[in-house]
Amino acid sequence: MKKLLAVLAVPVLLLAAGIIAGDAGYWRRYVEALADGAPDRIASGVQPRVVVAGQPGAMPQASAEVESIAPEALVEASKRFAALGARALIVHRHGHRILQLFDAGTGGATELVGGELTPAVHALALAPLVDTRRVGIDAAIAAVREESAYYGASGWRNPWSAAAHRRFRLRPAPQLLVRDGGSAAQAISERVWQPLHAQDAALWGEGDQALRVDYRMVAKLDDWVRVGDVLLQQGTFDGERIASPDWIRALLAADLDTSRHPVWLERQQPWSGAEPPASRDTFWFDLGAGVRLWLVPKRGLSVLVWSASRAGARDTEIPNLFIRALTDQAPTVGGAADINQIVPGH
């Protein structure tokens, strides 16, 4: 029996070896997805690349007091950051950086893939077509959903399945993105990346006939936060209009319970912790293992947590800390003793 199994195993191994030899990159991406590796490690292996040209500019900044955030919250967040052994914690309000904390190996220039936030770049690049009514909102949303469905298709864990091939292989760029001439990378650069004053980024691909705009885009950590801020601020960044509020509202549709979610995700990954998000309109994007960007539109607040573990990034504790620390939408915090108003039970 053992001899028979050994004989049968030989052709299977030879077949697998042939497939691997034919597309080693496919199998590398497949194994990375199974391992759920850190997004910066995945970013370092993205090849080939098509450059998306940026136009770097300074990140807008403000003090906690100017943006009506209780200073005690920053002190408390620093303690939580150390306790988590986190890699990064970034807090923005109204597009202004209020707090940034990094470990020794991480910074705003760290490159990582965008995960669930990547399709937002494609969607924002379609904004000029939608806002000038050259393309209807429904058709543009259908294009975003169709492209993103390749990444989100279930059944990809079988590497020989059609779902796996759709997820891990290149294909032609979306037609709407290149309908006005030029390349997909050029459209994203001119319509999104340069107005964001972001640094150069890269799409996974070789050209418009072999390109992905929904998966494995590589950009600086700071610039992914900029993308989140555009969604948060109804299509503007640092006073510059990138998309209309109508298009942003269409992209972040409301469920029956009025909770927002991006149209390209069938469902959001769960939150964890002792309590739900402190604001009902909170939504979030997972950029990869251990990295979550929380957005709270009605309060103009964005919080990025890069934890040493996936569970740490999903915990609502830190975003809730800042939601409750908003002195223009919560009880005024007058002194250190009032930290209990920010963090109950502190």
Side-chain angles (χ1 to χ4, degrees):
M1 184 66 178
K2 289 183 179 180
K3 179 181 283 189
L4 176 61
L5 289 174
V7 170
L8 292 174
V10 170
V12 173
L13 292 173
L14 289 174
L15 176 62
I19 294 173
I20 292 172
D23 190 352
Y26 172 88
W27 288 94
R28 186 187 73 248
R29 292 184 289 274
Y30 174 76
V31 171
E32 285 175 346
L34 283 180
D36 206 11
D40 55 334
R41 181 175 180 181
I42 293 173
S44 67
V46 172
Q47 292 294 335
R49 295 187 179 196
V50 176
V51 174
V52 175
Q55 196 173 61
M59 181 71 73
Q61 300 190 29
S63 67
E65 291 83 357
V66 166
E67 287 294 347
S68 301
I69 296 178
E72 293 90 343
L74 276 62
V75 176
E76 182 64 22
S78 297
K79 294 178 182 177
R80 304 288 174 90
F81 177 82
L84 280 173
R87 295 189 59 177
L89 172 60
I90 298 173
V91 180
H92 282 199
R93 193 166 195 217
H94 302 136
H96 298 139
R97 178 151 301 182
I98 308 301
L99 175 68
Q100 61 178 26
L101 299 171
F102 300 112
D103 71 1
T106 311
T110 298
E111 287 191 336
L112 66 163
V113 289
E116 294 176 346
L117 193 55
T118 301
V121 179
H122 173 207
L124 290 171
L126 297 182
L129 303 179
V130 175
D131 297 341
T132 57
R133 299 189 178 182
R134 286 179 285 165
V135 173
I137 283 182
D138 290 344
I141 286 178
V144 173
R145 282 178 168 159
E146 180 182 5
E147 186 70 15
S148 303
Y150 290 92
Y151 169 71
S154 60
W156 63 266
R157 290 180 181 275
N158 174 1
W160 290 276
S161 67
H165 285 217
R166 288 195 298 267
R167 182 179 175 112
F168 301 118
R169 286 194 167 139
L170 297 167
R171 59 180 179 274
Q175 286 301 303
L176 281 185
L177 199 55
V178 295
R179 58 167 280 174
D180 288 347
S183 68
Q186 181 182 355
I188 291 172
S189 171
E190 294 176 352
R191 300 173 189 175
V192 184
W193 225 242
Q194 292 182 15
L196 278 177
H197 303 295
Q199 299 185 58
D200 288 358
L203 298 169
W204 170 40
E206 299 176 290
D208 282 350
Q209 295 308 306
L211 189 73
R212 292 291 287 271
V213 298
D214 68 319
Y215 178 52
R216 296 173 74 87
M217 182 176 179
V218 178
K220 303 291 192 293
L221 178 58
D222 277 349
D223 295 333
W224 285 121
V225 180
R226 293 175 193 252
V227 173
D229 279 345
V230 173
L231 300 178
L232 187 72
Q233 299 182 102
Q234 296 289 289
T236 64
F237 180 81
D238 198 22
E240 185 165 359
R241 173 65 63 187
I242 295 175
S244 70
D246 286 345
W247 181 226
I248 299 300
R249 283 193 290 269
L251 292 174
L252 304 175
D255 288 328
L256 293 178
D257 65 356
T258 72
S259 297
R260 286 186 172 189
H261 67 92
V263 296
W264 56 87
L265 292 178
E266 291 185 6
R267 62 183 180 85
Q268 291 192 300
Q269 296 298 314
W271 54 267
S272 65
E275 58 178 348
S279 177
R280 284 181 57 84
D281 69 322
T282 304
F283 60 100
W284 52 88
F285 298 94
D286 286 343
L287 278 67
V291 187
R292 176 166 286 186
L293 177 63
W294 302 84
L295 301 179
V296 192
K298 291 182 180 178
R299 290 162 172 78
L301 182 70
S302 60
V303 179
L304 182 139
V305 180
W306 189 346
S307 173
S309 68
R310 181 179 291 278
R314 291 180 171 182
D315 198 304
T316 58
E317 183 179 41
I318 289 180
N320 281 353
L321 167 67
F322 284 98
I323 292 171
R324 294 194 172 107
L326 301 179
T327 59
D328 57 348
Q329 300 187 52
T332 301
V333 179
D338 292 326
I339 192 66
N340 279 310
Q341 297 180 36
I342 303 174
V343 189
H346 176 78

